[in-house]
Amino acid sequence: MDIKQITVAGSGVLGSQIAFQAAYKGFQVAVYDINDEVLEKSKNRMKQLEAFYQRDLDATPEELQEVYNRLFYSTNLGKATEKADLVIEAIPEVVQIKRDFYQELAKVAPKHTIFATNSSTLLPSQFAEATGRPEKFLALHFANEIWKNNTAEIMKHQTTEEQVFQTVIAFAKSIGMVALPIQKEQPGYVLNSLLVPLLESAEMLLVNEVAEIETIDKAWMIGTGAPLGPFAMLDVIGITTAYNIVKGKAEATGNPAYIKLSHLLKTNYIDHGKLGRSTGEGFYKYPNPSFIQPDFLKN
Ligand code: NAD
């Protein structure tokens, strides 16, 4: 099946980016959200994306103007999906909100329409039944700033049809993504399945006083040739996100190591406004962190 027309449901941070990118690549895109006020915000968000497309992709003013001719906005789910071959859901990461949404969507979307969730942490099988068409449902997960961080993790659940999987892989490529097919459900997809344990191991080495931040990063950078060590990566992700994850684990498990780590992140960093790259300081000081100095990897 060929995807020609798509609907993006939820026009927040990711929804606006997905809609803009698909329209930039020539697709007709309906953008759906719960009220006109939010849709107006989405239009502003998209306007702000123009500068990034010019800077990162050399987009011309004419190309950017064309994007708007392919976008259509609606707060009526039936209208927004009446011509959709694919609906990409990017609404809040709350199980009940998503489940209710899929039940409504199932009633109004055409029978042939494929549904895809952009959820970062929830699994498609949690909503497969609510969609009323589990075989035409899967995950299509983008990264923030999709025009340059252009991975698309496409993940089946147990009863996703192979043909649907292949169609969505082809669609992801056609909007400029590097498609990463994932054959089975996996919390965290591929990227976070690799990244989260790495970052957590680094944090544990620190909190258990095994080694200092720079030592840990140097070991990773020299040993693997990576341009950033785990603590430099955490500064990019943001220490608040790291703290929320660790705090959640501390509360869920009562594990003293997680409790100590969450305390360290809070008192040494968050309470001092050191949230990472975005605030100019986290584990390192920016714009000239020590790990970019020429002698950092030499001794
Ligand atoms: P966001 O809060 O910026 O946007 C959510 C949008 O959904 C809002 O515009 C809201 O009005 C709308 N919404 C709320 N209820 C709705 C409903 N019932 N129907 C339609 N729209 C509704 O959220 P976000 O950061 O764009 O995240 C959306 C999804 O994308 C989540 O599942 C998240 O896990 C995933 N995601 C986020 C990122 C990220 O970096 N922000 C990255 C990858 C994936």
Side-chain angles (χ1 to χ4, degrees):
M1 189 190 134
D2 228 17
I3 306 283
K4 294 197 184 70
Q5 172 113 20
I6 71 161
T7 300
V8 177
S11 64
V13 175
L14 255 283
S16 297
Q17 292 180 18
I18 298 164
F20 196 86
Q21 176 71 14
Y24 178 70
K25 288 289 181 175
F27 286 84
Q28 297 295 323
V29 184
V31 183
Y32 166 76
D33 211 307
I34 44 176
N35 59 46
D36 288 325
E37 205 185 321
V38 210
L39 285 178
E40 283 308 312
K41 270 196 205 149
S42 169
K43 288 178 193 169
N44 284 337
R45 275 209 179 90
M46 293 193 197
K47 198 83 199 130
Q48 285 166 14
L49 291 177
E50 286 186 23
F52 296 107
Y53 275 67
Q54 283 173 328
R55 184 191 72 188
D56 298 331
L57 305 179
D58 293 325
T60 64
E62 295 74 30
E63 284 170 331
L64 291 169
Q65 194 44 47
E66 278 291 298
V67 170
Y68 297 99
N69 300 335
R70 302 191 191 103
L71 288 166
F72 158 79
Y73 300 85
S74 179
T75 54
N76 178 316
L77 189 57
K79 239 179 149 187
T81 56
E82 65 188 0
K83 296 189 191 142
D85 301 310
L86 170 67
V87 174
I88 302 171
E89 169 270 303
I91 71 173
E93 193 75 343
V94 177
V95 174
Q96 200 54 48
I97 294 180
K98 288 201 197 280
R99 196 163 283 150
D100 292 347
F101 169 77
Y102 282 115
Q103 275 165 356
E104 284 310 304
L105 181 65
K107 289 185 208 151
V108 296
K111 287 274 165 289
H112 79 281
T113 308
I114 296 171
F115 300 165
T117 179
N118 181 46
S119 173
S120 296
T121 61
L122 305 170
L123 294 171
S125 57
Q126 292 176 263
F127 309 106
E129 207 186 304
T131 66
R133 59 187 80 185
E135 70 293 343
K136 290 194 170 59
F137 177 55
L138 75 183
L140 170 57
H141 182 240
F142 296 95
N144 197 7
E145 307 201 335
I146 81 169
W147 65 93
K148 66 181 169 91
N149 300 336
N150 62 332
T151 55
E153 296 183 288
I154 301 115
M155 184 169 80
K156 284 185 197 165
H157 69 96
Q158 235 181 357
T159 56
T160 308
E161 255 170 31
E162 181 61 28
Q163 180 61 37
V164 167
F165 188 51
Q166 295 305 332
T167 299
V168 175
I169 291 171
F171 166 75
K173 290 181 184 168
S174 68
I175 62 163
M177 299 295 114
V178 173
L180 304 170
I182 301 175
Q183 306 290 343
K184 282 184 188 174
E185 277 200 335
Q186 166 69 29
Y189 301 84
V190 167
L191 178 60
N192 281 337
S193 295
L194 297 167
L195 190 57
V196 172
L198 169 73
L199 299 179
E200 194 172 302
S201 301
E203 290 170 298
M204 285 300 170
L205 291 172
L206 178 70
V207 81
N208 290 330
E209 297 168 22
V210 174
E212 292 177 357
I213 290 168
E214 292 194 349
T215 308
I216 298 166
D217 275 7
K218 271 182 206 177
W220 184 254
M221 290 166 77
I222 299 172
T224 67
L228 296 181
F231 287 100
M233 291 187 220
L234 281 163
D235 275 349
V236 175
I237 293 162
I239 294 176
T240 310
T241 301
Y243 170 69
N244 287 335
I245 294 173
V246 171
K247 188 163 160 267
K249 288 188 179 176
E251 284 164 3
T253 64
N255 180 330
Y258 285 128
I259 295 170
K260 196 169 166 196
L261 177 56
S262 69
H263 185 73
L264 178 144
L265 293 176
K266 178 147 191 330
T267 52
N268 288 9
Y269 298 94
I270 294 182
D271 288 351
H272 298 280
K274 298 178 184 175
L275 305 182
R277 224 169 235 243
S278 64
T279 58
E281 188 169 353
F283 296 109
Y284 293 94
K285 279 193 180 141
Y286 299 89
N288 289 309
S290 58
F291 64 81
I292 62 167
Q293 306 309 322
D295 60 351
F296 184 75
L297 300 177
K298 293 201 180 126
N299 53 58

